[in-house]
Amino acid sequence: EFLANFQNTKANASNADELRAIFERLDANNDNRISRHELLSVVARDQTVYDFLLRDADVGPAGDDEAISNAVDDVYKAMCGDSKYFDFADFVAYFRSIARIHGCGL
């Protein structure tokens, strides 16, 4: 369902706006890069970001901090590997790669 919605919106400008809005929510200190700590902190307190990033993750029952932390780590590593930060270009590339894997066009 998420990917179907993503497929329908990713190819147009509103998708870029949505990705930018989520990225800005993640960028707590406005330095245009996201650390693992920032990502985990925002996911823990912002339901919109949580839903956007972890919708397809298997995090178990609500409030399972270890499962959420592991899911965030997986997303973080997929975006930036061993780097200390990811930027907007990495963020967009990650979602484009998900769309390609699941057969959604971007």
Side-chain angles (χ1 to χ4, degrees):
E1 178 180 319
F2 168 70
L3 289 173
N5 179 51
F6 205 55
Q7 177 182 15
N8 292 335
T9 61
K10 277 212 163 208
N12 59 42
S14 67
N15 181 57
D17 292 343
E18 180 181 15
L19 288 175
R20 175 54 75 181
I22 293 293
F23 185 84
E24 288 175 359
R25 291 173 89 129
L26 289 169
D27 190 13
N29 63 1
N30 296 316
D31 66 354
N32 292 314
R33 59 187 193 171
I34 311 300
S35 69
R36 182 198 175 279
H37 175 74
E38 273 180 300
L39 183 63
L40 186 56
S41 175
V42 174
V43 165
R45 67 177 159 71
D46 188 320
Q47 189 66 45
T48 299
V49 172
Y50 177 97
D51 290 344
F52 188 84
L53 291 178
L54 302 182
R55 182 177 308 230
D56 294 327
D58 182 17
V59 294
D64 184 346
D65 292 339
E66 183 176 353
I68 292 169
S69 180
N70 290 338
V72 167
D73 283 344
D74 291 345
V75 170
Y76 184 80
K77 288 175 186 173
M79 284 192 208
C80 66
D82 293 328
S83 296
K84 292 184 179 184
Y85 305 96
F86 64 86
D87 61 16
F88 185 65
D90 298 322
F91 188 70
V92 170
Y94 169 74
F95 285 102
R96 285 186 175 159
S97 71
I98 287 175
R100 275 194 295 274
I101 289 168
H102 293 284
C104 303
L106 279 184

